Amino acid sequence: MASSKETYRVELRAAARQLGERGLYSAAKWAAELLVGIEPDATPAPSLVMDTPSSSGSAASGGRLLHLHRSGGSSFRRRLRPGAAEAGTPLGGVSYVSTPIPDDDAFDVGGDRYLLAKTYFDCREYRRAAHVLRGQTGRKAVFLRCYALYTAGEKRKEEETVELEGSLGKSNAVNQELVALERELATHRRTGAIDSFCLYLYGIVLRDKGSEALARTVLVESVNSYPWNWSAWLELQSLCTSSDILNNLNIKNHWMKDFFLASAHLELKMHEEALKRYERLMGVFRCSDYIQAQIATVQYSMRDLDEADMIFEELLRTDPFRVDSMDVYSNLLYAKESSTALSFLAHRVFLTDKYRPESCCIIANYYSLKGQHEKSVLYFQRALKLNRKYLSAWTLMGHEFVELKNTPAAIDAYRRAVDINPRDYRAWYGLGQIYEMMGMPFYAVYYFRKSSYLQPNDARLWNAMAQCYESDQLQMIEEAIKCYERSANNNDTEGIALHQLAKLHGMLGQSEEAAFYYKKDLERMEVEERQGQNFVEALLFLAKHCKSIGRFEEAEHYCTRLLDYTGPERETAKSILQGLKRAQSVLPLMDIDHFAM
């Protein structure tokens, strides 16, 4: 079905209302923001061809590791990358299904009870809400009762965690309502007396119980029957741990699927594909702050910090009280060491809402950049009290504990991060660093392998693993060479790989290979106008190597350059030059003797 902007507007307005009625406030807010983000058509817009859902992208490196063009104006809203579609509505070649409208049976029977239960739910009296709706059979009432029971169980689980193990410790507490909810919802699904919202809740229950395959199936049913529940899409995304799983989902071709695929590709580190999809969606939702924030996040993950910085600045100009995604912006400012901008951002979010997890994370980054790591840990702990599943807070707090040399706490923080999201390569990398510092290289290599598998295009991860292979305990030089080669092939901006490859080949007596890498490293340093010990070492090796193979002019060139430096290398260069002069004076005599014979 061909969609138009007016169709989007009508569907989004209805979705925001229905989601709000069911207490799914995050999804309702998301839909309302997209609604505002649709610009009216002044003139008929050209068609936009969306990619087919099965298309895939290449992975790219990104993310903030352990203590890992700004311009003015507001042109971003109208500007897309060259080659990106500038469009109105997704028409040509793609047929979208219509949005199903769920039955609104709230007031057919027991409408007053539903309103009372909804009031209790909004006041966070979840068990009272569930009790009021006992015996009600309407689909809205069943969902609200089950959702209230699930939320009450989660609340009690959090209380038990704090009581038994402390606010940040591990606990075996579980949601005691899961068994009964699974039994009831499974019965409703078998009999067909279940709507998309109860399917969404059933998927969450199955996920919490560890039945991930069935949870994916149920969540797909939920989004197919009502595509506007963004919360269901996010739960489904969390269960798509690989591109194969993502591509095998049997999702109807509703245009909400494009938002889901873009977000899922970003989560799977398929940054190029995610960027393409978001830029095409921007052709319709030209004023959507959500899409702009996602594009900025992709740019940050691809380490295009200046472009991401510009977009985030534009977002704050148009929405100065925004907190969503600003924790990503704080990571960017931290990476750029922009202390003034980070201080301003921390002050702004503190005045806006200091009890948001994102606000606490931003303030923690500010203190970390100032070197006040104890205060930074304090604010990360506050963020985790507000949201124990806040992934970035666990990972970044692990970094802070490393700075404080609190190894057990750092290990615990990183392990909690990988428990929440096994695809967080930063936490695996942090664990590798910890065990390397502890002198346990076998453990370190295991964790570095995990991180490089998840982020194969990040040269820093390959360098770390190679240095571990070089350690005195392992001395696995061949493996280290392979890792440095992967690093060099993935744009090693720090320049570690080429120099180490040259040294390792020299240690193995492979002088030709060593000379090749020393020469490449020398060229890189000349382009970057860097000089230092590595520069001197490369010149000295190349001078000796060229002399040994009879390339005297080249050897003389490298020795002459070494004369500009002080230290023992200069004396060595003088000695080599004298040897070259003697060798060059002997060669003509040898030629004369040859002809005389």
Side-chain angles (χ1 to χ4, degrees):
M1 181 189 76
S3 298
S4 66
K5 288 187 178 180
E6 187 57 36
T7 303
Y8 294 160
R9 212 174 273 115
V10 171
E11 292 183 349
L12 281 163
R13 192 177 295 115
R17 177 179 60 82
Q18 291 159 2
L19 292 165
E21 287 176 354
R22 287 166 169 81
L24 303 175
Y25 301 119
S26 295
K29 183 181 78 169
W30 184 84
E33 287 175 348
L34 286 183
L35 173 65
V36 174
I38 303 178
E39 283 187 341
D41 283 324
T43 58
S47 63
L48 171 63
V49 181
M50 302 292 285
D51 277 356
T52 58
S54 61
S55 62
S56 61
S58 59
S61 61
R64 172 185 168 192
L65 289 174
L66 182 61
H67 302 314
L68 292 185
H69 54 278
R70 187 184 301 265
S71 62
S74 57
S75 61
F76 177 77
R77 292 184 183 277
R78 295 288 180 179
R79 179 179 53 78
L80 298 175
R81 285 194 317 172
E86 298 205 22
T89 55
L91 294 176
V94 177
S95 178
Y96 291 116
V97 299
S98 59
T99 304
I101 304 299
D103 295 333
D104 192 359
D105 62 356
F107 298 96
D108 293 344
V109 179
D112 293 341
R113 284 183 174 273
Y114 177 83
L115 287 176
L116 176 60
K118 182 67 167 59
T119 303
Y120 285 148
F121 187 91
D122 293 344
C123 293
R124 300 185 179 183
E125 299 185 45
Y126 304 118
R127 293 199 182 276
R128 292 187 76 185
H131 179 74
V132 167
L133 293 173
R134 68 193 186 284
Q136 298 293 310
T137 58
R139 292 188 174 183
K140 270 189 172 182
V142 170
F143 169 75
L144 183 57
R145 178 174 56 79
C146 293
Y147 193 47
L149 285 173
Y150 175 80
T151 308
E154 287 294 297
K155 181 180 178 182
R156 182 55 193 150
K157 185 179 79 170
E158 293 293 329
E159 291 169 353
E160 289 180 2
T161 300
V162 174
E163 291 165 1
L164 298 175
E165 298 290 342
S167 60
L168 301 180
K170 293 184 179 179
S171 172
N172 295 323
V174 296
N175 188 334
Q176 299 295 333
E177 304 293 337
L178 293 181
V179 175
L181 285 172
E182 182 186 17
R183 188 184 305 117
E184 179 180 353
L185 293 171
T187 302
H188 287 317
R189 182 169 176 251
R190 281 197 303 271
T191 60
I194 193 170
D195 67 355
S196 59
F197 296 98
C198 282
L199 283 170
Y200 156 64
L201 181 57
Y202 186 29
I204 294 176
V205 170
L206 290 169
R207 179 208 62 193
D208 288 353
K209 293 198 69 179
S211 304
E212 294 188 356
L214 181 57
R216 277 193 295 269
T217 302
V218 171
L219 287 168
V220 166
E221 292 177 18
S222 175
V223 298
N224 281 341
S225 61
Y226 184 69
W228 280 120
N229 186 0
W230 183 239
S231 298
W233 289 107
L234 290 179
E235 295 296 341
L236 181 59
Q237 174 184 302
S238 70
L239 296 172
C240 296
T241 55
S242 69
S243 57
D244 291 337
I245 293 175
L246 180 65
N247 294 332
N248 289 328
L249 295 177
N250 187 23
I251 303 173
K252 292 181 181 178
N253 201 29
H254 189 275
W255 56 278
M256 274 291 294
K257 183 178 179 180
D258 297 311
F259 282 94
F260 166 69
L261 289 175
S263 180
H265 284 135
L266 173 57
E267 183 67 21
L268 292 173
K269 307 294 188 295
M270 301 168 66
H271 299 126
E272 288 291 342
E273 181 66 20
L275 189 59
K276 289 179 192 174
R277 290 186 177 277
Y278 279 126
E279 286 181 334
R280 285 170 180 147
L281 286 167
M282 200 73 189
V284 177
F285 303 90
R286 291 182 179 275
C287 294
S288 172
D289 287 350
Y290 164 77
I291 297 177
Q292 289 192 68
Q294 291 297 97
I295 290 175
T297 302
V298 176
Q299 297 282 10
Y300 166 69
S301 298
M302 297 172 69
R303 300 170 68 185
D304 189 352
L305 301 185
D306 291 331
E307 181 72 14
D309 190 3
M310 184 187 69
I311 300 172
F312 277 124
E313 284 182 354
E314 170 69 13
L315 280 172
L316 283 177
R317 273 194 291 270
T318 58
D319 187 2
F321 302 103
R322 180 184 182 89
V323 178
D324 296 334
S325 302
M326 289 299 105
D327 53 338
V328 179
Y329 186 32
S330 72
N331 291 343
L332 182 152
L333 295 174
Y334 184 99
K336 294 182 71 173
E337 298 184 2
S338 301
S339 57
T340 303
L342 185 52
S343 173
F344 176 75
L345 178 63
H347 184 70
R348 172 177 285 182
V349 297
F350 182 84
L351 294 178
T352 301
D353 189 351
K354 65 179 179 180
Y355 293 118
R356 283 277 294 271
E358 294 90 343
S359 301
C360 295
C361 187
I362 292 167
I363 296 169
N365 277 337
Y366 166 70
Y367 281 120
S368 177
L369 189 59
K370 288 184 66 178
Q372 300 180 23
H373 301 294
E374 294 86 354
K375 283 189 176 181
S376 180
V377 167
L378 176 64
Y379 275 95
F380 281 130
Q381 289 173 337
R382 288 184 182 178
L384 291 167
K385 287 178 181 178
L386 295 167
N387 180 5
R388 292 178 57 79
K389 294 186 178 180
Y390 189 15
L391 177 64
S392 293
W394 284 114
T395 304
L396 298 179
M397 188 169 68
H399 296 349
E400 297 308 307
F401 280 129
V402 170
E403 292 292 337
L404 293 171
K405 303 191 185 316
N406 189 342
T407 302
I411 291 175
D412 181 63
Y414 288 137
R415 290 195 183 281
R416 294 300 296 271
V418 298
D419 286 343
I420 295 170
N421 184 2
R423 295 190 59 82
D424 183 14
Y425 77 94
R426 301 173 304 168
W428 292 115
Y429 174 74
L431 284 168
Q433 283 192 317
I434 288 289
Y435 282 105
E436 186 179 21
M437 290 165 54
M438 294 170 63
M440 303 169 71
F442 286 102
Y443 285 92
V445 165
Y446 170 79
Y447 292 118
F448 284 142
R449 280 178 179 169
K450 294 280 286 187
S451 65
S452 60
Y453 171 77
L454 295 170
Q455 192 79 354
N457 296 326
D458 195 325
R460 294 167 293 183
L461 307 182
W462 293 109
N463 285 339
M465 185 156 50
Q467 289 166 3
C468 202
Y469 278 127
E470 284 186 81
S471 64
D472 295 336
Q473 295 99 316
L474 297 186
Q475 283 294 303
M476 300 170 69
I477 304 302
E478 292 291 343
E479 285 74 12
I481 287 174
K482 291 177 183 177
C483 291
Y484 281 129
E485 286 174 348
R486 291 291 298 268
S487 174
N489 293 333
N490 283 292
N491 190 26
D492 176 30
T493 56
E494 296 176 0
I496 295 173
L498 290 175
H499 184 74
Q500 291 301 115
L501 281 169
K503 286 184 66 174
L504 292 178
H505 281 295
M507 288 171 55
L508 296 176
Q510 301 168 353
S511 56
E512 283 294 333
E513 290 84 353
F516 172 78
Y517 285 112
Y518 270 125
K519 196 166 186 178
K520 288 189 69 173
D521 193 34
L522 193 64
E523 292 170 356
R524 178 191 62 81
M525 288 185 284
E526 287 174 341
V527 170
E528 297 176 0
E529 297 182 351
R530 292 186 184 181
Q531 292 189 359
Q533 186 58 38
N534 289 354
F535 194 86
V536 173
E537 186 178 330
L539 289 173
L540 186 59
F541 181 91
L542 289 171
K544 292 178 178 179
H545 175 71
C546 291
K547 178 187 175 184
S548 67
I549 61 176
R551 288 155 59 178
F552 296 142
E553 289 185 4
E554 246 185 284
E556 186 175 353
H557 168 72
Y558 293 126
C559 288
T560 304
R561 297 183 65 179
L562 278 170
L563 295 177
D564 296 332
Y565 297 89
T566 58
E569 292 84 2
R570 179 177 181 178
E571 300 303 319
T572 305
K574 288 181 179 179
S575 176
I576 294 173
L577 282 173
Q578 291 174 358
L580 289 173
K581 290 178 181 178
R582 286 195 297 270
Q584 288 172 342
S585 63
V586 169
L587 280 176
L589 294 175
M590 291 176 63
D591 291 340
I592 292 172
D593 292 341
H594 174 74
F595 287 114
M597 291 173 62

